[in-house]
Amino acid sequence: MTGERPGLYEMLDDRFRTGRCMNGDEALEVLYTGCRWAEGPIYLPAWRQVVWSDIPNDRMLRWDEETGTVSVFRHSAGHTNGNTLDCQGRLITCEQGNRRVTRTEHDGTITVLADRWKGKRLNSPNDAAVKSDGSIWFSDPDFGITSDYEGYRALSEIGSNNVYRIDPATGEVRLVADCFGAPNGLVFSHDEQQLFVSDTRAGFIRVFDVHEDGTLSEGKVFAEAEARKAARFDNLRFDDAGRLWAAAMGDGVHCYDPDGTLIGRLNVPEAVANISWGGAKRNRLFIAAETSLYSVVMGVTGTHPTGPGRRPWL
């Protein structure tokens, strides 16, 4: 059954309705427009702000929840892409142009966490996920080195597009998964026993079992992008019912039941690159799509990207 509620919400399975996924705002709110390509929104609870990336303009922007104002957070930012928070609430950023993963300390200084693997420069880190043990996992496709639009054109020193893990104690960068066309968004399951990774070029979301030693299983396909509107997967987020929400570019935001069924969509007027939960109740979905930052207050609650059990962190 489809089309029960035209507009923002599109139900493909009754679980989208019974799970309160359609309870919320009737329309998207435009928080800002004027980016060249918006990505990487992350809600900062301590400041009640959203920071996100405008990659081609080489800047990070900041939206203030209290006032609704937008300002520049960082300019000449290294063509940043994905952002997340670590276990101490510090900003973790993937810098495509600088080809590195960094951490912004509480005093505003920047620490480089990873820029090489086995002595070779990374391609262009794209998205990161932090496990509750403090390890940082990140994807490294070649989007930032294929042209000068989102970084600086260069040859890959590694020769492949992979997923890596940064050890929290030693800082060692370890390759944990390869065989990707272009790994992009990644997120841990609630119990941190699985890692979900989108492959933009292959059109898949793959899921891997996470072993105690920080290695991954071979992985399998969790979801496949449909041909409709040239859907391609970008970043991923979970809600507290275990549903996976995926930025699907020209096909809006997809919602998957834990069994892998696509149960509904959010229709967005621009191609959706990244999504993130935020707000005081973590029921506000922030959507970075092409030129704009949107939000919608929903009837479901998102989980914080870091922490045991993926519990909300307020």
Side-chain angles (χ1 to χ4, degrees):
M1 180 177 181
T2 61
E4 179 176 301
R5 186 178 178 183
L8 174 59
Y9 305 93
E10 182 177 353
M11 188 178 75
L12 304 175
D13 184 290
D14 194 54
R15 285 171 286 184
F16 196 59
R17 177 185 60 81
T18 59
R20 308 185 313 280
C21 299
M22 300 171 67
N23 296 353
D25 292 345
E26 295 285 341
L28 293 170
E29 181 180 359
V30 181
L31 303 179
Y32 179 81
T33 191
C35 298
R36 274 197 164 90
W37 184 258
E39 295 240 22
I42 185 67
Y43 183 77
L44 309 178
W47 302 102
R48 295 187 62 187
Q49 295 177 344
V50 174
V51 168
W52 79 99
S53 303
D54 182 3
I55 303 176
N57 283 326
D58 194 16
R59 63 179 181 171
M60 299 171 74
L61 298 173
R62 169 174 48 201
W63 172 81
D64 186 88
E65 188 176 25
E66 192 74 18
T67 65
T69 58
V70 173
S71 59
V72 174
F73 176 77
R74 185 178 295 160
H75 193 239
S76 298
H79 295 281
T80 60
N81 193 321
N83 299 284
T84 192
L85 298 178
D86 71 4
C87 301
Q88 297 182 41
R90 295 171 295 188
L91 183 66
I92 304 297
T93 299
C94 294
E95 301 182 12
Q96 285 193 166
N98 291 332
R99 300 168 71 170
R100 66 188 190 179
V101 179
T102 62
R103 181 178 65 221
T104 301
E105 308 295 348
H106 292 305
D107 64 4
T109 58
I110 296 175
T111 300
V112 178
L113 302 177
D115 60 2
R116 282 172 169 77
W117 174 68
K118 291 188 174 181
K120 299 177 181 180
R121 291 192 72 187
L122 299 172
N123 295 329
S124 55
N126 185 284
D127 196 18
V130 180
K131 202 164 178 280
S132 60
D133 64 2
S135 59
I136 298 170
W137 306 57
F138 67 94
S139 58
D140 186 40
D142 58 5
F143 299 140
I145 60 173
T146 55
S147 75
D148 291 319
Y149 187 68
E150 294 189 357
Y152 302 98
R153 183 167 54 185
L155 295 176
S156 172
E157 295 185 15
I158 296 172
S160 58
N161 300 322
N162 309 312
V163 173
Y164 299 90
R165 175 186 183 271
I166 304 173
D167 187 275
T170 67
E172 176 194 8
V173 179
R174 181 200 302 174
L175 189 154
V176 291
D178 51 16
C179 300
F180 292 99
N184 199 321
L186 65 168
V187 68
F188 286 99
S189 61
H190 291 212
D191 58 9
E192 299 187 329
Q193 297 301 301
Q194 293 180 310
L195 179 69
F196 291 73
V197 183
S198 68
D199 188 333
T200 301
R201 290 198 179 109
F204 296 137
I205 298 173
R206 294 171 62 188
V207 56
F208 302 83
D209 293 330
V210 181
H211 303 143
E212 289 187 9
D213 62 357
T215 59
L216 298 177
S217 67
E218 184 175 339
K220 61 183 179 181
V221 173
F222 174 80
E224 183 174 357
E226 300 177 351
R228 187 185 111 140
K229 295 184 180 179
R232 293 179 293 140
F233 293 123
D234 204 303
N235 91 316
L236 311 168
R237 289 289 184 263
F238 274 106
D239 67 23
D240 65 359
R243 291 174 292 247
L244 183 69
W245 297 75
M249 302 298 285
D251 207 24
V253 180
H254 287 192
C255 178
Y256 292 90
D257 188 76
D259 68 5
T261 303
L262 177 61
I263 61 174
R265 296 184 181 93
L266 301 182
N267 293 312
V268 180
E270 297 183 90
V272 178
N274 281 190
I275 57 177
S276 183
W277 298 102
K281 299 178 181 178
R282 298 206 69 81
N283 65 338
R284 189 171 191 170
L285 186 66
F286 295 95
I287 302 171
E290 289 192 55
T291 66
S292 307
L293 179 70
Y294 300 89
S295 79
V296 54
V297 179
M298 303 188 68
V300 298
T301 302
T303 56
H304 189 270
T306 305
R310 310 285 103 189
R311 289 193 297 268
W313 176 39
L314 302 178

